[in-house]
Structures are given as C-alpha cells and as structure tokens.
Amino acid sequence: MPFPAAPLPASYRRRPREMFGGRSKPAAAPAAAANGGVVVPRNFYLLEELEKFEKGAAGNGMVSAGLTDPEDIFLTRWSCSIIGPQGTAFDNRFYSLTVVCTDQYPHAPPVVTFQSRINHASVNQSTGELDVRDVLKPGAWESLTPQPTIEALLTKIRDSMTSQKNRSKQQPPDDATF
C-alpha cells in the first residue's frame, strides 16, 4: 500500500518561473513557414520518399530510386533508374542516374546526373548532368504535384523523353556511360 503524499512545505511550492530566478523559457515552438504552415525537416521528406520506393509504392515500375549508401544518414545521394517509354528511341532502355539532394531540398531541385549515356536535349553530353529547370518547363520545381519529390522528378524526366525534341533522337549503345 503506497504512502499518501505529504503536502510540500511552502518554500518548495514555487511557480516554475521563480525556481530559475525568473529566467524560465517557454518551450520552443516548431518553426513556421512563410505561408503560416509548419516547416518539415528535409530528412522527413526524404525518409518518406525512401520508404515509398522500398515498399514499391512509388514509380509505377518505370522509375525507381534508393540510397547509394545505406549508411548515409543525411539521405543525400540516390541511385535511380528510368525505363524508357515505349514508342520512342528510349523504348525499353534502362537508364541509371544519380540524384544528389542538397541542403535546400525540397525547396530546390536535386542535382541529377545520368550514368548511362543518353541523347536528350536537357543533358550535358560531356558530363551527363541534367538541366532540371529545362525539363520542368513550362512549370517549375515547386509546381510538381502534389509536392516536389524525387519520384515526381523522375517521372517528369521520363515524360520528357516523349517530347518532340527527344522522342526520335538516336541513342548510344546500351552499355555506354558518361
């Protein structure tokens, strides 16, 4: 049987503010976004995206992604793939890409570099780096719906392969790399 709690002497019954010499601070509130919402940390977005790809809930089988290094706690470097759309010069080809999410992600697009050689109007033919802003024309990174994600970007890149300026471009051999 527990002992009943004895009342505290008056000297111990202080309000929290008095206990620390009047210097108590209120609990920190979550950071607010410019539009009044709560700012979600970058890693939360990336963890959610990683989980979707790992469970097969993202990409519809045509795009895939995962961490380059499973020990990367900052979720920065991703190995991705795109299967080219049918009825184009990219038909059933497998393209490997590296996606690097900077500290600005998801507010700024990641850096995308093709590992597989590809003839695409938005890809630098010396380095394999994709001009993300060019692929997203006329929209912008922020206009990807429902929110900008690696999956949405990979899907947009795949869709750009069907555009008039890309669909008929002669492609290099399957095993060619940058």
Side-chain angles (χ1 to χ4, degrees):
M1 180 182 237
F3 293 102
L8 291 173
S11 61
Y12 288 106
R13 283 185 263 146
R14 294 184 181 163
R15 291 182 295 196
R17 188 172 201 76
E18 295 168 344
M19 292 174 72
F20 300 103
R23 291 182 286 152
S24 67
K25 292 192 252 180
N35 63 1
V38 175
V39 175
V40 178
R42 166 189 175 276
N43 282 12
F44 285 21
Y45 279 109
L46 291 170
L47 279 170
E48 183 178 348
E49 289 185 58
L50 180 61
E51 183 178 6
K52 283 182 180 178
F53 277 113
E54 287 180 342
K55 290 183 175 181
N60 199 20
M62 296 297 144
V63 299
S64 66
L67 289 176
T68 300
D69 176 10
E71 302 299 318
D72 178 9
I73 61 171
F74 298 108
L75 312 173
T76 303
R77 293 183 61 83
W78 294 62
S79 293
C80 305
S81 62
I82 297 174
I83 296 176
Q86 291 184 343
T88 67
F90 307 96
D91 193 352
N92 292 321
R93 288 174 162 253
F94 183 85
Y95 294 97
S96 296
L97 308 87
T98 299
V99 171
V100 177
C101 298
T102 66
D103 292 342
Q104 301 304 312
Y105 185 87
H107 305 293
V111 177
V112 178
T113 307
F114 275 84
Q115 303 306 307
S116 305
R117 188 161 285 281
I118 183 172
N119 286 336
H120 187 286
S122 301
V123 175
N124 180 315
Q125 292 302 307
S126 300
T127 64
E129 189 168 328
L130 176 80
D131 182 352
V132 175
R133 300 281 181 194
D134 189 46
V135 169
L136 297 177
K137 284 180 187 173
W141 170 248
E142 297 79 16
S143 71
L144 292 177
T145 57
Q147 69 183 30
T149 62
I150 293 171
E151 177 189 11
L153 178 58
L154 293 174
T155 301
K156 195 75 166 171
I157 294 168
R158 185 173 187 274
D159 291 346
S160 74
M161 294 176 180
T162 64
S163 73
Q164 280 302 97
K165 63 182 178 182
N166 288 316
R167 71 179 301 117
S168 301
K169 285 190 175 234
Q170 182 66 34
Q171 295 302 305
D174 285 337
D175 58 349
T177 59
F178 280 101

